[in-house]
Amino acid sequence: MRKPMMAGNWKMYKNRDEARALAQEIVALVGAEEAVDIVLCAPFVDLCAVAKMTDGSKVSAGAQDVMWIDEGAYTGEVSTPMLVAVGCKYVIVGHSERRGRFGVWPKDWPEELHAVFMDNDVSVNWKARAALAGGLTPIICCGETIDERHAGTTDTIVRGQILAAMAEMTEEQIGACVFAYEPVWAIGTGEVCEADEANRVCGMIRGVLAERVCCGAQNIRILYGGSMKPDNVDGLMVQPEIDGGLVGGAALKADSFACLVTAAAKTA
Ligand code: PEP
């Protein structure tokens, strides 16, 4: 039986004081919930405050990215040991907004700025392995663009991302990861993937994991992400292959996030 997980991705929202207040509210609402692993992935500068505020509760702090090297001359980067030192337990790796949105850029951004977001299949693998080696649980994201879906290549794209993310990992390491299926077209758009289709892709991902992990793929958690909200969470969480959510917009308010946690708890 896989324990459900609800992970909030706060993206570039909330300064330190706002983050502390939101974490406090969430702890008050669901901080004693034992049936769900609850994660708040906050901006780097907020992590210390969020980790302190959630300490002693069932809520954990997570980061949104990590460098694959522990220390060195990498201006602006943050490493696994640094995240662990402030009490962080999880890290999102390879979110589509860091993989250069698969080339889906705001129209007014010149091409020169596209390289600012630089993740690809190789860096995702390196980051996930560095996180595991240093004691963080990576939440590894994958998902197709709308063009790839229309072209009928969803499974090929997602399969390729998952295989690349697992490169050179031991079975034990793969088993320690969390995966998140996040169709790019459903992130922040209000457009949710149909529950049975999200379930199908998550099942396909589990099949890919099973190619690398002899008997343990049934124990690996696979989350769905993409406009998950209180009014659609039940339909998603009831799906057998969906073990929780990676949530953006609905994680920015304590009551809606708590609602998602409660829905996940019902499936435990
Ligand atoms: C996300 O940020 O990973 C996400 C799924 O965002 P949203 O829930 O807003 O679509």
Side-chain angles (χ1 to χ4, degrees), residues 36-268:
V36 181
D37 281 338
I38 306 165
V39 187
L40 308 180
C41 297
F44 286 138
V45 292
D46 299 341
L47 282 172
C48 212
V50 170
K52 275 197 189 133
M53 186 52 74
T54 55
D55 194 27
S57 78
K58 299 293 172 196
V59 182
S60 302
Q64 299 171 16
D65 194 17
V66 67
M67 177 51 159
W68 57 83
I69 294 166
D70 284 356
E71 64 176 6
Y74 300 96
T75 303
E77 295 294 341
V78 174
S79 71
T80 296
M82 292 170 176
L83 294 174
V84 170
V86 296
C88 207
K89 300 272 190 296
Y90 294 85
V91 60
I92 297 171
V93 176
H95 192 282
S96 61
E97 289 161 11
R98 297 240 38 106
R99 288 185 190 241
R101 294 167 174 261
F102 300 93
V104 184
W105 305 100
K107 289 195 177 40
D108 56 343
W109 286 17
E111 216 166 285
E112 288 80 354
L113 288 185
H114 296 182
V116 170
F117 296 87
M118 50 158 279
D119 266 332
N120 56 36
D121 282 347
V122 174
S123 66
V124 168
N125 170 255
W126 285 33
K127 288 178 178 190
R129 282 162 51 211
L132 287 165
L136 289 177
T137 299
I139 301 173
I140 301 173
C141 300
C142 61
E144 81 287 359
T145 62
I146 195 65
D147 289 347
E148 289 160 348
R149 173 156 283 268
H150 286 155
T153 55
T154 295
D155 291 14
T156 312
I157 295 292
V158 172
R159 178 185 165 79
Q161 290 168 347
I162 295 292
L163 285 172
M166 293 190 293
E168 291 178 50
M169 281 189 194
T170 63
E171 288 194 28
E172 198 187 340
Q173 284 177 318
I174 296 168
C177 294
V178 174
F179 293 85
Y181 169 54
E182 296 214 310
V184 179
W185 48 273
I187 296 178
T189 58
E191 202 173 329
V192 66
C193 184
E194 291 294 331
D196 53 355
E197 172 60 6
N199 184 61
R200 186 194 69 76
V201 180
C202 289
M204 188 275 295
I205 292 170
R206 196 175 305 288
V208 179
L209 300 179
E211 292 174 26
R212 288 285 320 278
V213 179
C214 283
C215 2
Q218 282 309 319
N219 300 324
I220 300 175
R221 284 178 295 189
I222 303 175
L223 314 180
Y224 166 78
S227 301
M228 186 183 261
K229 295 194 167 50
D231 63 3
N232 60 31
V233 64
D234 286 328
L236 289 160
M237 283 306 304
V238 84
Q239 301 294 328
E241 296 291 358
I242 299 178
D243 304 316
L246 179 55
V247 185
L252 292 172
K253 292 234 157 59
D255 53 354
S256 61
F257 187 65
C259 200
L260 302 184
V261 171
T262 306
K266 280 191 284 178
T267 67

